[in-house]
Amino acid sequence: GGSSRVYRVLGQDMAVYAMKRVRLSRMDPAAVSNYSNEIALLKRLAGHRHIIRLLDAEVSYETKCIHLVMEYGQCDLNKL
């Protein structure tokens, strides 16, 4: 999409993770709220075997971005 990108990154433990970078500068308050809800939902569903695990998330008001580090999934559901 236009407001976020997902990157494959290598962690300090040499494991592959997905990092989602969301640009807040292009969003209205409702869209920012939706991303906050996504983070809360991923935290609540942690441990469920069918849900990608959220490892860390941060909101940077300085760079106007949200960064989410998640377990790396093997397929892109948008391409199914």
Side-chain angles (χ1 to χ4, degrees):
S3 62
S4 69
R5 296 195 93 155
V6 179
Y7 301 93
R8 187 172 50 201
V9 297
L10 191 62
Q12 291 180 341
D13 59 357
M14 302 309 284
V16 176
Y17 298 99
M19 185 188 78
K20 184 174 188 177
R21 181 176 181 258
V22 182
R23 286 186 262 168
L24 299 175
S25 60
R26 298 182 179 180
M27 287 190 232
D28 60 31
V32 173
S33 177
N34 286 340
Y35 277 105
S36 295
N37 290 339
E38 177 184 352
I39 293 168
L41 185 60
L42 286 171
K43 285 180 179 179
R44 240 186 0 255
L45 294 173
H48 191 283
R49 68 185 192 110
H50 295 293
I51 303 296
I52 292 289
R53 188 168 45 116
L54 175 67
L55 301 165
D56 197 13
E58 84 171 2
V59 178
S60 173
Y61 295 101
E62 200 172 285
T63 61
K64 297 182 180 167
C65 289
I66 298 174
H67 295 96
L68 297 96
V69 179
M70 299 172 280
E71 135 184 63
Y72 182 73
Q74 295 300 316
C75 71
D76 184 348
L77 296 177
N78 283 328
K79 296 181 180 177
L80 292 179

